[in-house]
Amino acid sequence: MSSSELRIVLDSPTSTFAPGSIVRGEVLARTGDDVRCRALSLDWEWRTHGKGNVQKGKGGKITLVQEASWSPGGEYRYPFQLTAPRGPLTYRGTLLNVDWYLRAAADVPWAFDPKVEAEMLLAPGGESVDILDLGPSWKTPIPGASRPIGAIGAAMIVGFCSIFVAVGAFIAFGGEVGLIGLPFGLVFMGAGLAVMAFGLRSFVSQGRIGLPEVTIEPLMPRAGEKVLVRVRLRPRSSFSLSGIDAKLVGEEVVVKGSGTNKTTHRHTIHHEARSIDPGGRAVDRGAEIVVESTFVVPPSAAPSFAASDNAIAWKVNVHVGVDGWPDWDHDFPIGILPRRG
Amino acid sequence: MTPVLSLPFAHLNLRRNPFGEATREERAELAVTSVASLHEGELVQFVGACGRGKTTHLLALSRLHPGAVYERLDEEHRVPRAVPREADIVYLLDEAQFAKPRELARIAARVRTLALGTHDDLAPRLGARPVRTVAVGGIDVDTLARVVDARLRWARRADSAPIPRVPPATLARLLARHGDDVRAIENDLYDAFQSLQEPCDVEL
């Protein structure tokens, strides 16, 4: 049985590299016996760890040597260099961490294959790449893609919820189950109506204030940069405006478990709210309102990341308050890029 | 906010939060159970509520039976899709209560060595085969200490430097708070370790 030992040593004392930069290091091998190594390879991958399900992504793999012989007392050095990946960047959070790992493995016949793993930190810093990898599920926000629900969306909500209401009514009053079905049926009906009311509130509000036109520029700012939020209203009928607010929100969102044991956990990493119109006035039908405000993304804001069970999600929320009528509220996903190093 | 980068949890001499999620393979290695290998032709069911260790038992069996097939059902996936074709492959079916009775009977008739994880007693649905039922739950302080130690070893960075410890008094308080819900205990310990600044005794 081989007693070989491997170690990874990186040139950088902090193990930190910028995307697109050159990662240099060595794999060191020592052994207590004479060992024939068929192949020594190095691969790298990213993994999430924390409260959410572990997810990973491959970086690359290289073979450092084939058919090597190691003797006791010797230290064998195998230098390597590779290009640091485009992302995702290393992240330290409360529910979520994202890390890169270098793994060296030796193929030793008739013995336990020695392996070693070392972290490699990927951080912005004069990177030579223009496009960062923000994770396997990342979708670049498209202007206008986050449109609030229109008539078709409203019809779908009504249709879906009506099924709940109808089933509840049948259970409660259909007579097949008897009185015992009444409370269950009423709960079903109540749930259906509540979901319908919640889902339609913005649509109902639009009937009075019109569909607000929200412009966010840019949709993918860098940390430390400004984001303009402009809201334009052309009311379909007169209404009393109680105020227009906007928020910039960043969250870690992770999923733990699956099936019946699946839970979603959230942790707010940034929350900034401001009033962009104090309201308190009547607005006439057809009278246009255009208001805007500028947020500054914090310089240390975590860049966006998206995998199926783990995400760093940023959004702008816009809220239009209407006296005596449902308010209008909508989230607009944005992406945050890291500061240029 | 992303702080200045350092190796993850290096301030605690750890590589990760010991009570974060693990992959299925890691959970199999971390499993602390008294489960023994299955005899050929045995049918066993592990019965218990959520978070009590049913999956842990099945994953421990997966380590004892290399080549065993593990499958987990849920509300959206009620039809087992990975039932081994070869009768001599061990099949480990988690959340088996989601499967239809006819499907369970079919599996019990076809798979020679079978272990189930379930919330409900499925013996009546398994045909004429004798079933060994193991009630899962009821963890004590010593067993919980072994679970915690396994997690700390898994997460440890360097052998030569100290790491945080979870004293027996803390374990006893967690058991008093959560009973035998190990998942809830691990959630509390996750939050505790997130806020530690240095290796120390964890007090909750």
Side-chain angles (χ1 to χ4, degrees):
Chain A
M1 180 84 74
S2 154
S3 58
S4 307
E5 194 180 278
L6 300 178
R7 201 156 59 95
I8 298 173
V9 178
L10 294 171
D11 282 6
S12 161
T14 59
S15 304
T16 306
F17 303 89
S21 67
I22 301 299
V23 178
R24 289 190 182 85
E26 290 182 313
V27 175
L28 278 56
R30 286 198 293 199
T31 177
D33 306 310
D34 285 310
V35 166
R36 175 186 151 234
C37 168
R38 269 203 288 242
L40 177 67
S41 62
L42 181 76
D43 73 276
W44 52 103
E45 68 174 20
W46 61 264
R47 295 200 294 263
T48 64
H49 56 105
K51 219 165 204 178
N53 296 328
V54 175
Q55 293 186 278
K56 49 180 88 168
K58 288 197 189 308
K61 184 174 182 173
I62 50 179
T63 300
L64 300 180
V65 70
Q66 285 180 306
E67 296 301 336
S69 295
W70 299 333
S71 300
E75 186 174 75
Y76 301 88
R77 294 172 170 265
Y78 299 96
F80 63 85
Q81 75 175 41
L82 54 100
T83 304
R86 294 190 294 119
L89 297 177
T90 297
Y91 174 71
R92 296 272 168 275
T94 299
L95 303 180
L96 167 64
N97 301 271
V98 181
D99 273 293
W100 278 90
Y101 298 87
L102 290 161
R103 302 182 306 179
D107 178 5
V108 178
W110 305 108
F112 180 74
D113 290 343
K115 296 183 180 51
V116 71
E117 185 173 271
E119 291 111 338
M120 171 176 71
L121 306 178
L122 199 64
E127 55 262 34
S128 56
V129 295
D130 291 326
I131 301 172
L132 280 180
D133 182 347
L134 299 179
S137 300
W138 173 253
K139 290 184 173 53
T140 303
I142 303 169
S146 306
R147 293 183 67 78
I149 54 163
I152 294 175
M156 287 171 68
I157 290 175
V158 169
F160 178 74
C161 293
S162 295
I163 295 171
F164 269 83
V165 175
V167 168
F170 179 77
I171 294 171
F173 307 114
E176 298 294 329
V177 186
L179 274 179
I180 199 168
L182 185 61
F184 295 102
L186 288 175
V187 167
F188 248 81
M189 288 175 69
L193 289 169
V195 171
M196 197 186 301
F198 183 80
L200 290 181
R201 71 191 192 297
S202 286
F203 180 76
V204 169
S205 184
Q206 282 165 213
R208 178 161 271 191
I209 69 173
L211 178 62
E213 198 178 295
V214 176
T215 305
I216 300 170
E217 286 171 350
L219 278 171
M220 289 196 61
R222 289 190 175 272
E225 290 183 351
K226 293 178 182 172
V227 180
L228 173 72
V229 179
R230 182 182 299 121
V231 181
R232 183 184 214 157
L233 292 178
R234 284 199 197 92
R236 289 184 183 164
S237 54
S238 305
F239 73 99
S240 175
L241 177 68
S242 64
I244 302 177
D245 304 317
K247 290 183 214 153
L248 175 64
V249 180
E251 286 184 305
E252 293 173 18
V253 185
V254 304
V255 173
K256 175 185 164 111
S258 62
T260 47
N261 296 324
K262 186 172 171 176
T263 50
T264 300
H265 300 263
R266 294 174 182 271
H267 172 75
T268 300
I269 56 176
H270 182 78
H271 187 280
E272 185 183 348
R274 59 177 66 166
S275 167
I276 55 177
D277 188 309
R281 66 184 187 280
V283 179
D284 291 331
R285 177 182 171 214
E288 189 179 71
I289 298 174
V290 181
V291 289
E292 61 183 47
S293 187
T294 300
F295 290 92
V296 177
V297 180
S300 57
S304 296
F305 170 75
S308 55
D309 287 348
N310 294 272
I312 302 166
W314 288 86
K315 65 186 179 190
V316 167
N317 170 268
V318 173
H319 180 96
V320 178
V322 184
D323 288 328
W325 199 252
D327 294 342
W328 186 89
D329 191 286
H330 197 75
D331 291 335
F332 296 86
I334 64 170
I336 301 291
L337 294 171
R339 261 168 76 166
R340 285 205 188 275
Chain B
M1 293 204 304
T2 305
V4 172
L5 279 183
S6 58
L7 296 181
F9 291 87
H11 60 293
L12 301 178
N13 188 29
L14 299 171
R15 293 186 181 278
R16 58 174 70 80
N17 187 314
F19 301 97
E21 280 298 280
T23 62
R24 188 184 299 164
E25 294 74 22
E26 288 167 334
R27 286 185 66 186
E29 290 180 19
L30 291 167
V32 172
T33 70
S34 54
V35 73
S37 299
L38 300 173
H39 305 301
E40 191 179 325
E42 186 174 10
L43 197 171
V44 65
Q45 59 171 352
F46 298 100
V47 184
C50 290
R52 266 59 179 186
K54 300 184 298 298
T55 300
T56 300
H57 280 73
L58 291 177
L59 293 178
L61 283 175
S62 72
R63 285 202 80 202
L64 295 171
H65 295 275
V69 172
Y70 171 90
E71 185 174 8
R72 184 186 180 99
L73 303 182
D74 56 48
E75 284 154 341
E76 288 150 23
H77 166 212
R78 290 176 177 264
V79 178
R81 293 182 211 135
V83 182
R85 292 185 191 279
E86 297 82 1
D88 58 351
I89 292 181
V90 174
Y91 185 44
L92 311 167
L93 184 62
D94 206 350
E95 302 286 344
Q97 74 277 0
F98 284 114
K100 288 184 180 159
R102 189 185 301 178
E103 189 66 35
L104 279 174
R106 187 181 73 82
I107 291 169
R110 179 170 145 184
V111 177
R112 198 180 299 159
T113 310
L114 175 63
L116 307 174
T118 173
H119 291 212
D120 311 317
D121 179 2
L122 299 178
R125 306 184 207 176
L126 297 171
R129 280 180 72 176
V131 180
R132 180 165 67 94
T133 297
V134 177
V136 178
I139 190 170
D140 58 21
V141 170
D142 288 339
T143 307
L144 183 58
R146 288 195 293 138
V147 170
V148 168
D149 283 346
R151 284 276 182 156
L152 290 172
R153 276 197 307 275
W154 170 61
R156 187 174 202 137
R157 191 172 282 278
D159 288 336
S160 52
I163 58 173
R165 298 185 315 166
V166 186
T170 300
L171 295 176
R173 274 195 286 276
L174 285 166
L175 281 172
R177 185 185 299 173
H178 295 294
D180 59 357
D181 186 348
V182 177
R183 192 175 294 138
I185 290 172
E186 289 176 343
N187 265 333
D188 277 7
L189 286 171
Y190 179 94
D191 293 339
F193 271 72
Q194 274 306 119
S195 59
L196 290 180
Q197 303 297 315
E198 58 184 12
C200 60
D201 284 356
V202 176
E203 302 291 340
L204 283 176

